[in-house]
Amino acid sequence: MAKFFITTAIHYVNGPPHIGHVYETIGADVLARHHRLRGDEVLFLTGTDEHGIKVQRKAAAEGVTPRALADRNSLKFQQAFDRLLISNDDFIRTTDRRHVRAVQRFWQAVETHGDIYDAKYEGWYCIQDENFVTEKEAKEIQEHPELGKTVEWQSEDAKFFRLSAFQGHVERLIEGQADFIRPENRRNEMVSSYLRPGLRDVCVSRTTLDWGIPVPNAPGHVVYVWFDALINYISAIGYGGDEEVFRRWWPADVHVIGKDIVKFHTALWPAMLHAAGLEPPRRVFGHGFLTVGGKKMGKTLGNVVDPLEIAARYGPEALRYGLLRENDFGGDGNYDADAIHTRYHSDLANGLGNLVNRTLSMLERYLYGCHHAQPELPEAETALLARFGALFARLDEMMDAFRFSQVLAEIWELIAALNKYIDDTKPWELAKAQKPDPRPRLHQIFATLAEGLRWTTAMVAPFLPDAAGKIWSVFHPGRPLEKWTFRQIAARGAIPDQTVLAKPPVLFPRVEKPSA
Ligand code: MSP
């Protein structure tokens, strides 16, 4: 059994989750669920990033301690993820003891390796990104207030990580390993705007801040929030605690993150790991950003979308489906309330929901709900079902490339083909005939539909886990989908002969459009 360790970025706790955060988590969840169905042993990790100036200042502004703010917002992320059917196996908080211990051990490993030195930091710092920026970047931020970012000049005694010494290592990784950074355009961006100009040493401790993890043996220093945060990917799997568990899971198979933080994950992080004698992650996927109504989301614009509001109206699956169907995960995308509304009704209620409903209603009416297994099917039916097999054969590759929108489009073509098959074969007319006995033909038609639907259900399950679970239990009562792998699902004739297929409750009830 292969292992599959997948992570998302950990979220800052200066506010509750917005649609951009959950977009990433939903994408990662879909891939995690898909790998579970492949039979892999999956570890899906997400969490919250709780230290740093941004959180400390937000807490001060609200008159609460950073810890209280972190507790409150971390809980909001966990609740939102539950509501959105996110199947993470662990949730790491950078204030967890296991994490603090791991960061301090890691620091010592890098220091022992000789890659940390004392110096004075003088330069610009961007609070929103928690990032040391160059003169040029600072100027750009100052000239573009619409970015919603601010920079401050900082000067303090600090400790530096010798990132420049890892230039060759990082180059070999990014340029030598073609699929280390995905999609391709992110890799090109990284090479031209960051790698070519040369990696610069980075300040990794702060003395003007106290909301952070204390640097070992350096009173007054706390660990820079990015150095702290990246370590979450290993602190959660036992680094510095349980060596055996750690060795089993590391390296991560994929870090799923937004395009804005690719450089931290593909240069700083591999260099840190190398300095500590550890392997880099296998792959980093930098997804695009979601805008709202075509505009960057932000408090100043007042267009921050709360994912829970959409889930309350349409259910969590409409959001999961709508976001991943409407946008190419690797590129930039947009959230559009109308598109979610339309997709929910056209694709979920009228497409999949209606197919399930009409198939099982007719089966009940014409054949008492009884499935008759068909070892052989006519050519047309065999050809129709072969289309499912053909898509299934390409599924792993498309999913691993995060081509969710394309996968969904292709699955919905097959749903349309099944709906058309019903229209063409007209079981309601056949059922009226007395002679010859229409039942053998009806058995074929409904066995074809059942098999097609079964495939559809397995392929959509990572996107629509609740609905898929309900449909699956029609075919295999008492044998939930989580207990199956694709290989078992692929075995032909898996619906036992004479199973009574009972109609599930309405999967996607109609929803009124909110009044503007
Ligand atoms: N705490 C850092 C990540 C540390 S990982 C070791 C951080 N946090 S964040 O809360 O600002 O962002 C969390 C994730 O959400 C990032 O991957 C970021 O790219 C993503 N997104 C934030 N806004 C987004 C959109 N509008 N659209 C899509 N993804 C977005 O960065």
Side-chain angles (χ1 to χ4, degrees), residues 62-382:
E62 291 193 13
V64 296
T65 63
R67 176 93 221 186
L69 181 71
D71 284 348
R72 188 210 312 151
N73 283 324
S74 180
L75 187 65
K76 285 192 182 158
F77 274 95
Q78 295 180 49
Q79 287 169 335
F81 292 165
D82 279 352
R83 176 73 183 110
L84 298 175
L85 312 174
I86 303 300
S87 65
N88 55 301
D89 301 287
D90 197 354
F91 189 98
I92 182 98
R93 299 183 55 185
T94 54
T95 47
D96 284 349
R97 276 174 63 108
R98 56 179 174 160
H99 179 74
V100 173
R101 184 179 57 198
V103 169
Q104 291 178 333
R105 295 254 163 101
F106 191 94
W107 180 285
Q108 282 170 320
V110 176
E111 196 165 48
T112 310
H113 195 251
D115 293 313
I116 287 180
Y117 63 90
D118 289 304
K120 192 168 179 86
Y121 180 73
E122 288 250 306
W124 294 101
Y125 192 77
C126 171
I127 311 294
Q128 290 72 21
D129 291 349
E130 294 278 13
N131 190 17
F132 301 97
V133 292
T134 60
E135 193 73 40
K136 192 166 152 245
E137 289 164 332
K139 202 156 170 253
E140 191 168 327
I141 290 172
Q142 285 166 326
E143 283 169 2
H144 294 279
E146 73 279 8
L147 294 172
K149 296 181 182 179
T150 47
V151 284
E152 288 175 13
W153 182 260
Q154 298 190 338
S155 166
E156 63 181 305
D157 288 328
K159 292 180 184 287
F160 280 71
F161 171 58
R162 217 179 291 281
L163 180 58
S164 59
F166 296 87
Q167 175 87 26
H169 174 73
V170 173
E171 271 173 7
R172 277 190 296 283
L173 191 60
I174 295 181
E175 298 187 295
Q177 195 178 309
D179 64 351
F180 178 61
I181 305 180
R182 294 280 91 182
E184 184 78 28
N185 57 337
R186 306 256 177 265
R187 174 169 171 238
N188 302 338
E189 262 165 42
M190 184 64 199
V191 171
S192 60
S193 62
Y194 198 60
L195 213 50
R196 283 289 164 268
L199 302 178
R200 295 182 312 142
D201 291 355
V202 38
C203 174
V204 287
S205 85
R206 321 295 321 267
T207 45
T208 51
L209 168 83
D210 54 16
W211 179 235
I213 296 177
V215 171
N217 311 317
H221 288 256
V222 298
V223 179
Y224 166 48
V225 65
W226 267 102
F227 196 91
D228 158 352
L230 288 162
I231 295 171
N232 91 86
Y233 302 127
I234 58 174
S235 64
I237 52 167
Y239 176 82
D242 188 333
E243 201 56 20
E244 204 179 312
V245 175
F246 174 65
R247 295 277 157 210
R248 184 150 132 250
W249 288 105
W250 192 254
D253 293 272
V254 60
H255 290 319
V256 182
I257 52 155
K259 63 174 184 179
D260 57 328
I261 57 174
V262 169
K263 72 170 190 186
F264 293 103
H265 284 79
T266 59
L268 177 60
W269 180 223
M272 283 167 62
L273 286 162
H274 197 58
L278 300 171
E279 273 181 76
R282 295 218 162 96
R283 202 154 57 111
V284 174
F285 189 88
H287 63 75
F289 256 51
L290 273 193
T291 50
V292 172
K295 296 206 175 68
K296 185 177 184 281
M297 216 180 323
K299 290 217 182 72
T300 32
L301 275 175
N303 63 348
V304 179
V305 176
D306 176 359
L308 295 183
E309 264 176 38
I310 308 153
R313 177 168 290 271
Y314 300 100
E317 298 190 301
L319 185 65
R320 294 172 64 101
Y321 177 81
L323 286 181
L324 296 184
R325 178 73 168 85
E326 285 284 308
N327 301 294
D328 163 24
F329 198 64
D332 283 334
N334 185 42
Y335 165 79
D336 177 350
D338 284 345
I340 301 275
H341 183 88
T342 307
R343 288 277 176 201
Y344 176 74
H345 290 98
S346 65
D347 298 10
L348 299 183
N350 296 341
L352 179 60
N354 190 38
L355 173 64
V356 171
N357 184 53
R358 65 201 289 229
T359 301
L360 296 171
S361 302
M362 287 190 286
L363 184 69
E364 188 177 271
R365 205 166 316 137
Y366 309 141
L367 296 170
Y368 305 98
C370 189
H371 169 76
H372 296 262
Q374 304 289 302
E376 297 279 333
L377 283 170
E379 211 172 298
E381 278 72 12
T382 306

